[in-house]
């Protein structure tokens, strides 16, 4: 599959981490009866924040839809966790800096046009260009010439990255600015999807009615209600759909989604809301799902606000973290559906380091008060936690605030916004007064994804606008390392910088707590926390 020995062992090492999570699941169903291959099923979703363009979905509402509309060079086998080729026939390198891609022939977009090398190169160049305002544009920053299409200031000097060269319809080359040992794994992210020629005629119009190359094709988008996809009968990938399509059904309240699931008015749930965690296994029986996944919930500080900028405020942030009784909250409010976090990287992700957060993630009210006082106290002796009210977060936000209030005397209140898009727009606009909910599900199973992509200076997911030269230097060295072991070790050192600066407070690691209706079967979840959409079967 890959010609260079280095690429092989890098991929194998990371695959072990993903496979450990994928194989450690419980719940899910096997086929037990005849299935209707033309039947459609519904899935709990939220309104996409942005137009449906591959590099413009960082949140799950749009991201899961994009994942089903498109296939890139590679993705991850949900059964084994191993990297598998999709459009790529092979991806080769001898030095982790210069890569040659060979495509399979026969792939088409949903409009019937062929998927070629140009489809990838044009897509990546457009998505990286600062003029096009794509939220995931920095995913292309490893590629030579990125700074020319995405300068820190001013307009691009060109519309093409020098590191991308089309050889012919089935071959192109990628030159990076420096070696990145895990670059092939990053290529599994949806931002690296190809785009058809029709996209470039009107990207905005396309975003409302996208044409992809994945297992499902776009049917309709009824804003704030549902997005409907239908199976694509000419799909060339390894994971051909066993159903006729998906309705991504919007819910503004997680409790309402659960009620619909129990009454068979919704087929597959995203996550069980906190108020139903205690009963969902009894309610659903063998249709209940409970398994680990690569994700974390944190609360992040608005580091751009004057009250959090001073160096001494790191002590205050550490103190607030120590005031939170994670163990009690996860056992009671969250009914054991989460695992207390001891760092910023979840277990089973390559590079996880036990207790990376140190004592700052250990419940210690006395030390919490001491550190808060030493750091000059909390601005106005009050913190607020911004969150989206449609995601079932109220209970745990209230519990975190109660823990802070009771153990420090600092006033803490939740700051709910009606839906995910409203909350994200405030966060993206850097209009958070104090603290914000921050959750992350892995894009690839390496600690870099939970560190550089969230806390690197200028990273698109760096909501707090945290910036540390020490963290950035270690991240840069990690990316340039020639082995996965060296990469993960250097990123672990970067994680130690977070423990010192505390730009966010790790709360708990995710588990998939979900379920499905009596109308479907063969429902399984991968380590990314997503259903394996193509494998869901509708009972006859």
């Amino acid at each position: 599959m890959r010609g260079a020995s280095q690429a092989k062992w890098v991929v194998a090492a990371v695959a072990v981490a993903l496979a450990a999570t994928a194989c450690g699941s419980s719940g899910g169903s096997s086929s037990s009866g005849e299935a209707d291959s033309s039947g459609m099923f519904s899935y709990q979703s939220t309104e996409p924040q942005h137009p449906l363009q591959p590099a413009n979905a960082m949140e799950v509402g749009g991201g899961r839809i994009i994942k089903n509309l498109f296939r890139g060079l590679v993705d991850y086998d949900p059964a084994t966790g191993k990297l598998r080729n999709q459009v790529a026939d092979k991806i080769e390198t001898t030095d982790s800096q210069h890569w040659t891609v060979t495509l399979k022939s026969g792939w088409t977009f949903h409009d019937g046009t062929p998927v070629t090398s140009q489809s990838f190169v044009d897509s990546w160049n457009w998505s990286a260009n600062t003029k096009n305002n794509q939220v995931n544009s920095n995913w292309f920053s490893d590629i030579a010439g990125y700074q020319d299409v995405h300068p820190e200031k001013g307009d691009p000097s060109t519309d093409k990255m020098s590191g991308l060269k089309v050889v012919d319809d089935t071959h192109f080359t990628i030159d990076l600015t420096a070696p990145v040992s895990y670059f092939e794994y990053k290529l599994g992210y949806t931002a690296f999807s190809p785009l058809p020629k029709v996209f470039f005629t009107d990207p905005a119009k396309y975003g409302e009615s996208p044409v992809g190359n994945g297992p499902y094709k776009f049917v309709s988008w009824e804003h704030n209600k549902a997005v409907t996809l239908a199976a694509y009968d000419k799909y060339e990938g390894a994971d051909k759909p066993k159903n006729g399509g998906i309705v991504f059904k919007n819910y503004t309240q997680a409790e309402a989604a659960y009620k619909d699931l129990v009454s068979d008015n919704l087929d597959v749930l995203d996550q069980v809301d906190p108020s139903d965690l205690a009963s969902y296994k009894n309610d659903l029986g063998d249709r209940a799902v409970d398994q680990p996944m690569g994700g974390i919930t944190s609360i992040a500080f608005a580091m751009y606000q004057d009250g959090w900028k001073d160096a001494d405020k790191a002590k205050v942030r550490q103190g607030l973290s120590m005031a939170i009784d994670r163990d009690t909250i996860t056992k009671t409010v969250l009914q054991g559906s989460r695992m207390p976090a001891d760092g910023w990287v979840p277990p089973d992700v390559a590079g996880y380091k036990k207790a990376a957060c140190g004592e700052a993630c250990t419940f210690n009210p006395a030390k919490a008060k001491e550190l808060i006082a030493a750091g000059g106290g909390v601005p106005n002796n009050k913190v607020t936690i911004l969150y989206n009210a449609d995601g079932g977060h109220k209970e745990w936000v209230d519990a975190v605030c109660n823990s802070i209030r009771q153990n420090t005397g600092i006033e803490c209140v939740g700051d709910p916004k009606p839906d995910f898009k409203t909350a994200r727009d405030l966060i993206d606009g850097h209009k958070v007064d104090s603290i914000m909910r921050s959750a992350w599900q892995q894009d690839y199973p390496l600690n870099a994804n939970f560190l550089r992509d969230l806390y690197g200076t200028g990273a698109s997911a760096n909501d707090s606008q945290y910036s540390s030269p020490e963290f950035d230097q270690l991240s840069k060295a990690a990316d340039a390392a020639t082995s996965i072991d060296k990469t993960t070790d250097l990123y672990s050192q970067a994680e130690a910088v977070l423990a010192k600066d505390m730009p966010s407070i790790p709360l708990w690691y995710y588990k998939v707590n979900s379920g499905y209706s009596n109308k479907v079967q063969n429902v399984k979840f991968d380590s990314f926390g997503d259903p394996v959409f193509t494998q869901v079967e509708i009972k006859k």
Side-chain angles (χ1 to χ4, degrees), residues 158-425:
T158 179
D159 60 359
K160 296 178 178 62
M161 290 182 280
S162 60
L164 298 177
K165 302 290 185 186
V166 172
V167 179
D168 56 36
D169 280 352
T170 56
H171 296 84
F172 70 98
T173 60
I174 309 167
D175 292 338
L176 308 183
T177 56
V180 178
S181 62
Y182 56 95
F183 184 70
E184 189 170 6
Y185 252 77
K186 294 181 72 172
L187 290 174
Y189 189 52
T190 51
F192 291 97
S193 300
L195 283 168
K197 290 181 180 179
V198 68
F199 169 87
F200 302 97
T201 62
D202 192 340
K205 180 180 178 181
Y206 174 98
E208 293 293 316
S209 182
V211 175
N213 69 320
Y216 297 95
K217 60 184 178 181
F218 179 82
V219 175
S220 64
W221 182 358
E222 192 175 2
H223 283 281
N224 300 306
K225 290 187 178 180
V227 173
T228 301
L229 310 182
Y232 179 47
D233 58 1
K234 296 181 181 178
Y235 175 61
E236 288 290 326
D239 50 340
K240 291 179 172 56
K242 294 182 178 180
N243 53 70
I246 314 164
V247 178
F248 289 86
K249 190 175 179 181
N250 287 5
Y251 285 89
T252 58
Q253 295 295 330
E255 295 83 356
Y258 183 77
K259 288 179 181 177
D260 273 1
L261 181 81
V262 172
S263 59
D264 287 336
N265 291 317
L266 174 70
D267 292 316
V268 183
L269 196 69
D270 175 18
Q271 288 277 3
V272 177
D273 63 281
S275 63
D276 289 301
L277 282 168
S279 61
Y280 88 102
K281 291 182 180 179
N282 287 331
D283 293 343
L284 302 177
D286 61 5
R287 294 181 289 112
V289 178
D290 181 358
Q291 69 181 60
M293 62 166 286
I296 186 173
T297 294
S298 306
I299 49 175
F301 294 89
M303 300 289 283
Y304 46 84
Q305 299 290 6
D306 290 338
W308 297 113
K309 287 181 180 178
D310 295 342
D312 282 349
K313 293 304 178 185
K315 295 178 181 177
V316 176
R317 295 190 290 270
Q318 290 168 344
L320 290 172
S321 178
M322 297 178 79
I324 299 170
D325 189 352
R326 295 166 176 78
D327 189 57
T328 297
I329 294 173
T330 54
K331 287 179 179 176
T332 57
V333 177
L334 296 172
Q335 298 290 326
S337 66
R338 301 290 186 269
M339 299 173 287
D342 61 357
W344 287 263
V345 177
D348 297 322
V349 171
Y352 165 74
K353 185 176 182 181
K354 187 174 178 61
C357 182
E359 68 171 356
C361 287
T362 302
F363 183 52
N364 190 334
K367 187 67 179 289
K369 291 179 180 178
E370 179 184 324
L371 284 169
I372 291 170
V378 168
N380 301 316
N381 203 46
K382 180 181 178 179
V383 295
T384 58
I385 302 176
L386 184 147
Y387 67 95
N388 55 301
D390 60 347
H393 305 300
K394 182 182 186 301
E395 290 84 354
W396 70 256
V397 170
D398 288 348
V400 167
C401 272
N402 287 338
S403 196
I404 289 173
R405 187 184 309 110
Q406 292 169 7
N407 294 306
T408 67
I410 293 167
E411 180 62 19
C412 178
V413 294
D415 181 16
K417 303 305 173 186
D419 52 43
F420 186 87
K421 185 180 185 302
T422 302
R424 281 305 319 174
D425 286 346

Side-chain angles (χ1 to χ4, degrees), residues 484-531:
I484 201 71
D485 288 339
K486 290 179 181 178
T487 292
T488 55
D489 179 65
L490 285 165
Y491 268 114
S492 290
Q493 294 179 43
E495 188 176 15
V497 178
L498 298 183
K500 180 176 64 176
D501 294 346
M502 216 71 188
S504 69
I505 296 175
L507 293 177
W508 34 77
Y509 301 124
Y510 277 13
K511 293 171 71 179
V512 177
N513 299 104
S514 183
Y516 49 94
S517 75
N518 287 296
K519 297 179 180 179
V520 293
Q521 61 189 15
N522 200 38
V523 180
K524 302 178 186 299
F525 285 74
D526 60 24
S527 66
F528 292 78
D530 296 333

Side-chain angles (χ1 to χ4, degrees), residues 422-487:
T422 302
R424 281 305 319 174
D425 286 346
L426 290 169
I427 293 169
D428 290 345
H430 307 125
K431 297 177 181 178
V432 177
D433 294 329
S434 183
I435 302 173
M436 68 203 91
R437 169 186 170 265
S438 176
W440 193 254
Q441 297 179 23
Q442 66 183 21
D443 299 309
Y444 54 94
L446 191 77
N447 58 355
N449 184 226
F450 290 88
L451 299 172
R452 188 186 84 160
D453 295 334
L454 274 73
Y455 301 103
T457 299
S460 55
N462 186 346
D463 293 334
S464 66
Q465 290 199 309
Y466 168 71
S467 180
S468 164
E470 183 182 6
F471 180 91
D472 292 340
Q473 185 177 4
L474 286 165
S475 297
K476 185 177 181 179
D479 286 349
T482 56
S483 74
I484 201 71
D485 288 339
K486 290 179 181 178
T487 292

